[in-house]
């Protein structure tokens, strides 16, 4: 029975093995033009290149995640109203909450989608590297490439080794520990950045906030515990992916923050400072900008002036008709 499920799993994962090994092979061929093909640097850079390709392909999903997360933040006041109204009826509360999610186009689990979709890729790379350490080729890798990949060393540390399989090798244990710490820290900081900068005060309480807090502490803990069993190459992939996520999220939060959040207020202050800076600079060079700025409010006051003139005309025409 176990063999049957293993065969089914291998059949499902086979396309992923070929896709990942194909991209890995392309980068390895490129880096082999100026690096030792059997060296750890070429294979480590190939893993980083693979990571960047995967994360670039996930950008549309990341945008969807940001939109859904923003919607979740904005509808929190309505969620609280539903909780007050239907708090005594959990079934009705669940129905009304799901209805609100559908109407606002919100997916409460969208924040987990990038991680969930990366897990098969994560395990496929783990399997390819694990097989390569035994000299077994998988996907499009040749037996020679598999052997090189399995024996490749970065700073004297094999990419296929793990913390628990180090066998007392200090170099392997130190590098694995550093990568596990980096992977855990980047996971925590990414989630912390979202909660501290791009969530309004109303969204910091309630079910959604509890979900975010759970992810904030549970995910890093899971990666920290599981990371000691991951090969160095897989840890390199996940750490690079986390750095991409953190930078990408920082860019989105800084340039397109959710309304009512600390990041939104910070952006307003930056925009005001830029406007003031650009407004002062032309004043020293020419006075024409002052005239333009003084004339800008005029169109806003123009309707009021016309209305007053119309009132005067209507008032003056009254006695003539009488």
């Amino acid at each position: 029975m176990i063999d049957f499920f293993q065969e089914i799993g291998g059949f499902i994962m086979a396309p992923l093995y070929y896709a990942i090994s194909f991209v890995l092979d392309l980068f390895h061929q490129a880096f082999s033009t100026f690096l030792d093909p059997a060296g750890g640097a070429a294979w480590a850079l190939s893993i980083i290149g693979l990571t960047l390709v995967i994360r670039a392909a996930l950008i549309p999903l990341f945008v969807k995640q940001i939109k859904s997360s923003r919607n979740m933040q904005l509808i929190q006041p309505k969620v609280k109203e539903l909780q007050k109204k239907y708090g005594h009826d959990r079934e009705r509360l669940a129905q009304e909450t799901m209805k609100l999610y559908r109407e606002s186009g919100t997916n409460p689990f969208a924040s987990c989608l990038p991680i969930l979709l990366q897990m098969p890729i994560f395990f496929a790379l783990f399997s390819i590297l694990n097989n390569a350490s035994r000299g077994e080729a998988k996907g499009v890798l040749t037996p020679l490439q598999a052997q090189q990949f399995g024996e490749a060393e970065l700073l004297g540390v094999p990419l296929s080794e793990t913390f628990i399989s180090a066998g007392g090798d200090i170099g392997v244990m130190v590098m694995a520990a550093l990568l596990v710490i980096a992977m855990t820290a980047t996971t925590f900081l990414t989630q912390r950045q979202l909660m501290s900068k791009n969530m309004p005060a109303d969204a910091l309480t309630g079910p959604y906030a509890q979900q975010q807090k759970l992810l904030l502490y549970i995910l890093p803990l899971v990666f920290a515990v599981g990371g000691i069993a991951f090969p160095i190459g897989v840890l390199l992939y996940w750490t690079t992916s986390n750095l991409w996520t953190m930078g990408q999220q920082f860019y989105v939060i800084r340039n397109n923050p959710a309304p009512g959040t600390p990041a939104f207020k910070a952006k307003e202050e930056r925009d005001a400072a830029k406007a003031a800076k650009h407004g002062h600079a032309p004043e020293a060079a020419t006075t024409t900008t002052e005239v333009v700025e003084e004339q800008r409010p005029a169109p806003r006051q123009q309707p009021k002036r016309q209305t007053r003139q119309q009132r005067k005309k209507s008032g003056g025409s009254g006695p003539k008709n009488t």
Side-chain angles (χ1 to χ4, degrees):
M1 182 64 69
I2 296 178
D3 293 338
F4 172 76
F5 284 111
Q6 287 179 344
E7 290 180 2
I8 293 296
F11 177 78
I12 295 174
M13 293 290 290
L16 206 52
Y17 293 144
Y18 278 93
I20 290 176
S21 60
F22 176 74
V23 177
L24 197 66
D25 179 48
L26 286 179
F27 278 106
H28 183 254
Q29 290 183 23
F31 290 122
S32 295
T33 57
F34 56 90
L35 292 173
D36 180 10
W43 284 108
L45 290 174
S46 299
I47 293 174
I48 293 175
L50 170 68
T51 309
L52 299 181
V53 169
I54 293 173
R55 292 315 309 265
L58 291 177
I59 286 178
L61 183 63
F62 179 80
V63 173
K64 184 177 180 180
Q65 172 197 2
I66 289 294
K67 290 181 179 179
S68 182
S69 178
R70 177 170 298 181
N71 289 341
M72 284 292 296
Q73 297 168 15
L74 296 178
I75 66 174
Q76 285 308 299
K78 294 183 180 180
V79 172
K80 290 182 178 180
E81 291 179 4
L82 292 177
Q83 291 172 349
K84 292 180 180 179
K85 187 175 182 180
Y86 302 108
H88 61 283
D89 189 347
R90 292 188 176 182
E91 184 177 354
R92 181 66 184 278
L93 175 61
Q95 293 175 353
E96 293 296 328
T97 303
M98 293 306 298
K99 180 181 178 181
L100 178 61
Y101 288 159
R102 288 194 299 269
E103 292 176 350
S104 61
T106 302
N107 182 0
F109 303 104
S111 59
C112 303
L113 286 178
I115 293 178
L116 293 177
L117 286 182
Q118 281 192 89
M119 293 311 293
I121 300 171
F122 181 79
F123 287 117
L125 180 61
F126 179 92
S127 180
I128 291 173
L129 186 55
N130 190 45
N131 279 37
S133 66
R134 300 193 300 265
E136 300 176 4
K138 208 162 195 176
V140 302
L141 296 181
T142 65
L144 177 60
Q145 287 178 317
Q147 182 181 358
Q148 291 176 347
F149 194 20
E151 298 176 354
E153 295 184 354
L154 182 65
L155 301 178
V157 176
L159 294 176
S160 58
E161 286 291 342
T162 69
F163 184 89
I164 59 177
S165 67
D169 190 325
I170 301 299
V172 173
M173 296 177 68
V174 169
M175 179 170 285
L178 289 176
L179 286 174
V180 168
I181 292 172
M183 182 178 65
T184 304
T186 49
T187 301
F188 177 83
L189 292 175
T190 299
Q191 192 65 22
R192 179 66 179 173
Q193 178 179 241
L194 176 65
M195 294 184 64
S196 62
K197 294 184 178 181
N198 206 40
M199 289 184 66
D202 294 340
L204 294 177
T205 57
Y208 179 69
Q210 295 302 319
Q211 175 191 345
Q212 295 298 314
K213 290 178 181 178
L214 187 65
L215 291 175
L216 177 63
Y217 295 104
I218 294 298
L219 281 180
L221 182 61
V222 169
F223 287 127
V225 174
I228 60 175
F230 298 154
I232 299 293
V234 176
L235 292 174
L236 184 63
Y237 164 83
W238 203 256
T239 302
T240 305
S241 180
N242 283 355
L243 289 173
W244 172 291
T245 301
M246 190 163 59
Q248 185 175 245
Q249 184 174 270
F250 175 81
Y251 177 82
V252 172
I253 291 176
R254 178 179 175 83
N255 294 281
N256 193 22
T261 62
F264 188 83
K265 294 179 180 179
K267 186 176 186 301
E268 285 185 329
E269 293 175 357
R270 290 196 305 271
D271 292 341
K274 289 181 180 178
K277 182 179 180 181
H278 290 303
H280 288 307
E283 287 181 0
T286 179
T287 57
T288 56
T289 54
E290 297 178 359
V291 178
V292 173
E293 290 179 356
E294 290 177 357
Q295 291 177 350
R296 281 178 183 172
R300 298 179 182 176
Q301 297 178 357
Q302 188 174 355
K304 295 182 179 180
R305 293 176 182 176
Q306 291 176 351
T307 303
R308 291 173 183 174
Q309 291 175 358
Q310 291 175 355
R311 289 178 179 176
K312 288 181 181 180
K313 289 181 180 180
S314 61
S317 59
K320 291 180 180 180
N321 292 333
T322 54

